[in-house]
Amino acid sequence: MKTHDFYYDLPQELIAQTPLADRDSSRLLVLHKDTGGLEHRTFHDVIDYLQPGDCLVLNNSRVLPARLLGHREPTGGAVEVLLLKDLGSDTWECLTKPGRKTPVGTTLSFGDGLLTATVVEAMEDGNKKVCFHYAGIFLELLERLGKMPLPPYIKEELQDQERYQTVYSKVNGSAAAPTAGLHFTPELLRAIRDKGVELAYVTLHVGLGTFRPVKAEEITDHHMHAEFAMIDRETADILNRTRSRGGRIVCVGTTSCRTIESFASEDGTFTERSGWTDIFIYPGYRFKAMDALITNFHLPESTLIMLVSAFAGKDRIMQAYETAVSERYRFFSFGDAMLIL
């Protein structure tokens, strides 16, 4: 199967640049994957499609303000550092700009010297290992000095950084938001729970690789990036209970899907698990656990549009996307949503 099979034409003006004032007021395209039928709804209507006994799986990872703007010493030249992965001992895998001007040994400074760093290793893919030096608590400094690492297709400055966090975000570690969850409000989650739907939280720390294009001509030649994921005992119990009573497991976002599909046993049951996953889901994959998916609209030729195509069928997805474009839906991180069931 070719990467280009997952291409669609998207006008630039349909890429959402800012979030809506009300999280749950975005549009919702409902795709019935067995028939290909489509419905046009508003996101808060998602509750109408959830039934007592179902389980809603949400990724509670919180985005780090992982974009640091500073300068190189002693030249004073500007530098941008994006934290990608915590390697321990105050050392992070980072993307640095300009990369060629940050060789091993370069000293960096942020916030008038409140935070400094040294480039200690150049990696094969061009990323750098950077060791940070500071007094106090690193995450507090990051909250003070860092900016949200918005995707490259968002050009406007985000006025409220919390709008790139889900209302249930809890565990620091992502370089990008699990954006399907951005549509939920505390009130909507409470109404869903009151309807008899259980809420189960998983953690998958979204990496920068989620935005990297698939460059291989054949999708099977693509190397998937690894991300750290966790399912605790409480969530495993909820998922098993849902499955045993015949309820549906409804994932919020491709990250929740990738987490439960990575850790589900062959019979679709769960135990407490954590670890790195590089699962690549594309057409032909047999789903072990997920019954329905709430997701945003994804980039052409991305691993994410391949995942939703695996679930609903490529032809159904491409037809749905064509409809979304013609109906002027808003696309990508701050855009509208789909429910596939």
Side-chain angles (χ1 to χ4, degrees), residues 32-54:
H32 298 270
K33 62 186 179 70
D34 290 340
T35 65
L38 296 172
E39 298 178 67
H40 302 282
R41 303 290 296 269
T42 302
F43 189 82
H44 55 69
D45 297 332
V46 74
I47 192 171
D48 296 340
Y49 298 89
L50 301 173
Q51 302 298 329
D54 287 346

Side-chain angles (χ1 to χ4, degrees), residues 17-19 150 156-164 334:
Q17 294 295 311
T18 55
L150 295 178
E156 294 193 24
E157 191 77 18
L158 183 62
Q159 299 303 312
D160 178 4
Q161 298 210 115
E162 280 300 307
R163 290 308 307 273
Y164 196 56
F334 289 138

